[in-house]
């Protein structure tokens, strides 16, 4: 700012906040940070309602309590609705200060989606209304070129990020998702075909004659997956957070074996008869099955399953504990009754507790392959108790997991419907 004092005061609805110029310049709220680039008082008045030059105070006739919660987001990174304030009113305040619905916590995003659905609006439509109001009172003539370029670049990066991360956000994102799904299907078909005897014989003949070039479809699929992973990394907001996400780790794990295999092939180690190296190569090739996890970005069902498992990990751990405790008890009793008591009949299938544990787990889950079964009276009674207790133990946490699954499904469906409404507006425009 080329005028005023070094301390800037923001007066929002009667509540005053004092900041230095450097803080104003890097402020996370777009409307506030634009004040630093203003060169004249006229440009300042395009961003705020009034300005006091003597005290270097900027007046905003906005909701003071809503701005308190927005400031909490600036400090802690978590944005939630103000208790007792209409969701749409608070969202209007968010748009005024330069925030979007994506900045809200997931629980508040669900409330906003439901409220917008009730009134027949989308967040894109409400954002356009707010932009129209702002454009009616502001002029872009005074905005510096550098700020406009930065804003344009930020919008382009955000649009690219949403195209890769949110397939329903736009028409281009849907086309990108369709292409990605096609490549996943082609790669899976080739992986299944590569295990056929005729395919393996042809591959051995190719290597024997000195050919080491990959099949063109597989090379194209790998090229697409590699380019997609690199582009998603480049447009990610937080690079470290990108590297820590499970799906991104799976992408790297699924792509890397191909390049390792090609490097080993060029180094003269293409075959399967290389001992440990050959086993290592076959394991790497089978890791391509992880490409199926890429479908989780494009299908609501897989997204719901992943979100449910993440939210219900305590219930899943509890279920595993139940099963393991019951398996240890029944395995020891089954080994004793069928083999350890020496009552004239020794069942060799229960010669050890680990061997009996296999029978316990298939009995508790009511699978019952029939390869192992008790032959003594006590063993059969124990088997009945094992089956009944298995049904009860498996059913205990199912209710919590089911309700969490339904909740996650409704949340993701509402978000998908929101993107679908925005996509419809984009197509009509």
């Amino acid at each position: 700012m080329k005028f005023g004092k070094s301390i800037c005061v923001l007066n929002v609805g009667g509540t005053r906040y004092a900041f230095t110029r450097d803080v104003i310049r890097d402020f996370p709220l777009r409307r506030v940070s634009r004040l630093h680039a203003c060169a004249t008082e006229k440009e300042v008045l395009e961003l705020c309602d009034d300005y006091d030059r003597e005290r270097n105070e900027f007046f905003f006739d906005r909701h003071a309590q809503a701005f308190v919660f927005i400031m909490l987001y600036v400090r802690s990174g978590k944005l939630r609705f103000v208790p007792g304030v209409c969701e749409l009113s608070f969202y209007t305040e968010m748009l005024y200060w330069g925030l979007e619905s994506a900045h809200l916590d997931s629980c508040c995003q669900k409330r906003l989606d439901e409220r917008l659905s009730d009134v027949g609006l989308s967040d894109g439509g409400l954002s356009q209304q707010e932009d129209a109001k702002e454009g009616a009172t502001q002029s872009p003539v005074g905005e510096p070129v550098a700020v406009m370029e930065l804003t344009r670049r930020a919008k382009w990066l955000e649009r690219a990020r949403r195209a890769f991360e949110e397939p329903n956000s736009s028409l281009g994102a849907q086309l990108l998702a369709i292409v990605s799904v096609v490549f996943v299907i082609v790669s899976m078909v080739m992986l299944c075909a590569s295990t056929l005897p005729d395919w393996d014989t042809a591959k051995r003949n190719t290597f024997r004659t000195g050919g080491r070039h990959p099949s063109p479809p597989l090379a194209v699929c790998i090229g697409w997956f590699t380019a997609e992973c690199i582009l998603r990394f480049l447009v990610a907001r937080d690079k470290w957070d990108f590297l820590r996400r499970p799906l991104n780790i799976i992408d790297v794990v699924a792509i890397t074996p191909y390049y390792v295999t090609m490097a080993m092939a060029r180094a003269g180690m293409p075959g399967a008869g290389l001992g440990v190296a050959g086993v290592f190569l076959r394991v790497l090739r089978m890791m391509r099955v992880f490409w199926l996890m890429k479908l989780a970005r494009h299908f609501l069902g897989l997204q719901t399953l992943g979100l449910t498992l993440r939210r219900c990990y305590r219930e899943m751990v509890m279920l595993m504990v139940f099963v393991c405790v019951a398996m240890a008890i029944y395995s020891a009793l089954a080994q004793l009754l069928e083999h350890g008591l020496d009552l004239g009949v020794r069942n060799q299938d229960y010669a050890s507790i680990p061997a009996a544990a296999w029978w316990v787990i298939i009995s508790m889950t009511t699978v019952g392959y029939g390869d192992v079964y008790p032959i003594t009276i006590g063993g059969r009674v124990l088997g009945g108790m094992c089956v009944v207790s298995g049904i009860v133990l498996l059913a205990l946490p199912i209710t919590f997991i089911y309700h969490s699954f339904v909740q996650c499904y409704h949340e993701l469906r509402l978000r998908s419907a929101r993107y679908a409404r925005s996509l419809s507006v984009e197509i009509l425009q």
Side-chain angles (χ1 to χ4, degrees):
M1 192 176 300
K2 300 180 181 179
F3 60 93
K5 303 177 182 179
S6 59
I7 300 297
C8 303
V9 179
L10 303 182
N11 190 320
V12 182
T15 305
R16 303 173 77 243
Y17 304 86
F19 304 99
T20 63
R21 289 186 181 182
D22 293 336
V23 173
I24 292 294
R25 180 188 60 195
D26 302 325
F27 211 77
L29 303 181
R30 187 168 62 246
R31 180 176 291 270
V32 177
S33 61
R34 288 169 60 187
L35 292 173
H36 186 274
C38 295
T40 64
E41 187 171 342
K42 180 180 179 181
E43 295 177 7
V44 172
L45 293 177
E46 292 174 353
L47 298 173
C48 62
D49 297 300
D50 199 1
Y51 173 67
D52 188 339
R53 176 183 289 271
E54 295 182 358
R55 293 184 295 181
N56 200 25
E57 186 171 355
F58 305 87
F59 294 88
F60 297 89
D61 189 14
R62 309 299 298 189
H63 198 291
Q65 190 177 6
F67 190 74
V68 170
F69 276 69
I70 292 176
M71 286 298 298
L72 289 176
Y73 163 74
V74 173
R75 296 174 183 174
S76 63
K78 295 183 178 180
L79 182 60
R80 298 185 177 92
F81 285 130
V82 181
V85 176
C86 174
E87 291 85 356
L88 297 182
S89 299
F90 184 78
Y91 184 48
T92 303
E93 294 293 321
M94 289 171 51
L95 295 176
Y96 177 82
W97 294 109
L99 299 177
E100 300 178 356
S101 60
H103 295 97
L104 284 167
D105 281 4
S106 57
C107 58
C108 294
Q109 284 190 17
K110 178 183 177 181
R111 289 173 53 188
L112 178 62
D113 290 335
E114 294 174 349
R115 191 76 176 98
L116 290 173
S117 300
D118 293 339
V119 298
L121 288 175
S122 66
D123 58 344
L126 195 58
S127 177
Q128 291 173 3
Q129 294 178 13
E130 185 67 23
D131 292 341
K133 293 178 182 178
E134 183 177 344
T137 58
Q138 298 180 11
S139 173
V141 176
E143 189 170 6
V145 177
V147 176
M148 295 179 63
E149 286 295 330
L150 289 175
T151 304
R152 189 180 300 112
R153 180 174 179 271
K155 289 182 178 179
W156 184 86
L157 288 175
E158 179 65 18
R159 188 178 296 114
R161 186 196 65 80
R162 294 182 66 180
F164 283 104
E165 300 291 342
E166 300 167 356
N168 294 322
S169 60
S170 64
L171 182 60
Q174 288 190 350
L175 295 177
L176 196 65
I178 292 174
V179 173
S180 183
V181 170
V182 170
F183 277 114
V184 170
I185 295 175
V186 171
S187 63
M188 287 299 100
V189 170
M190 293 194 62
L191 177 63
C192 296
S194 65
T195 59
L196 296 174
D198 295 339
W199 182 289
D200 188 64
T201 301
K203 182 174 62 176
R204 291 174 182 270
N205 294 334
T206 301
F207 282 124
R208 190 177 297 112
T209 56
R212 291 182 184 142
H213 297 287
S215 58
L218 180 59
V220 173
C221 292
I222 291 293
W224 170 265
F225 295 147
T226 304
E228 182 185 16
C229 187
I230 293 175
L231 289 175
R232 289 177 56 249
F233 175 77
L234 293 177
V235 301
R237 294 174 181 170
D238 188 344
K239 302 298 188 292
W240 176 243
D241 182 65
F242 176 88
L243 295 175
R244 291 185 301 173
R245 291 182 181 178
L247 284 180
N248 298 331
I249 296 175
I250 291 174
D251 284 347
V252 176
V253 170
I255 293 172
T256 304
Y258 173 82
Y259 294 103
V260 175
T261 303
M262 291 303 300
M264 296 180 68
R266 291 183 180 276
M269 298 186 300
L274 296 174
V276 177
V279 174
F280 180 67
L281 279 175
R282 284 192 288 271
V283 172
L284 289 181
R285 292 191 187 106
M286 284 300 106
M287 290 178 68
R288 283 185 288 172
V289 74
F290 286 113
W291 285 337
L292 283 174
M293 300 300 296
K294 296 173 68 68
L295 298 178
R297 292 194 179 92
H298 312 301
F299 291 99
L300 185 63
L302 291 176
Q303 294 175 12
T304 305
L305 177 61
L307 185 59
T308 303
L309 293 177
R310 187 172 62 183
R311 292 185 178 180
C312 296
Y313 72 93
R314 291 186 180 88
E315 288 78 8
M316 299 298 295
V317 171
M318 181 173 60
L319 177 61
M320 293 297 104
V321 170
F322 288 166
V323 172
C324 290
V325 170
M327 187 168 60
I329 296 174
Y330 284 116
S331 299
L333 294 177
Q335 193 275 337
L336 178 65
L337 293 174
E338 291 292 315
H339 191 273
L341 292 180
D342 193 13
L343 298 177
V345 180
R346 283 179 176 265
N347 193 340
Q348 296 301 323
D349 293 332
Y350 296 81
S352 64
I353 292 180
W358 166 250
W359 168 80
V360 172
I361 192 64
I362 63 176
S363 298
M364 291 184 64
T365 55
T366 66
V367 175
Y369 290 118
D371 56 339
V372 180
Y373 54 89
I375 58 177
T376 64
I377 299 299
R380 291 174 179 175
V381 172
L382 181 68
M385 296 173 58
C386 179
V387 172
V388 173
S389 62
I391 295 174
V392 174
L393 290 178
L394 293 175
L396 286 177
I398 293 300
T399 303
F400 301 100
I401 298 175
Y402 168 76
H403 286 298
S404 179
F405 182 86
V406 172
Q407 182 181 4
C408 293
Y409 176 74
H410 284 305
E411 290 180 11
L412 294 176
R413 190 175 64 175
L414 285 171
R415 189 177 69 176
S416 178
R418 182 184 65 192
Y419 287 141
R421 291 194 297 267
S422 300
L423 179 61
S424 302
V425 174
E426 177 181 340
I427 295 176
L428 293 175
Q429 289 177 348

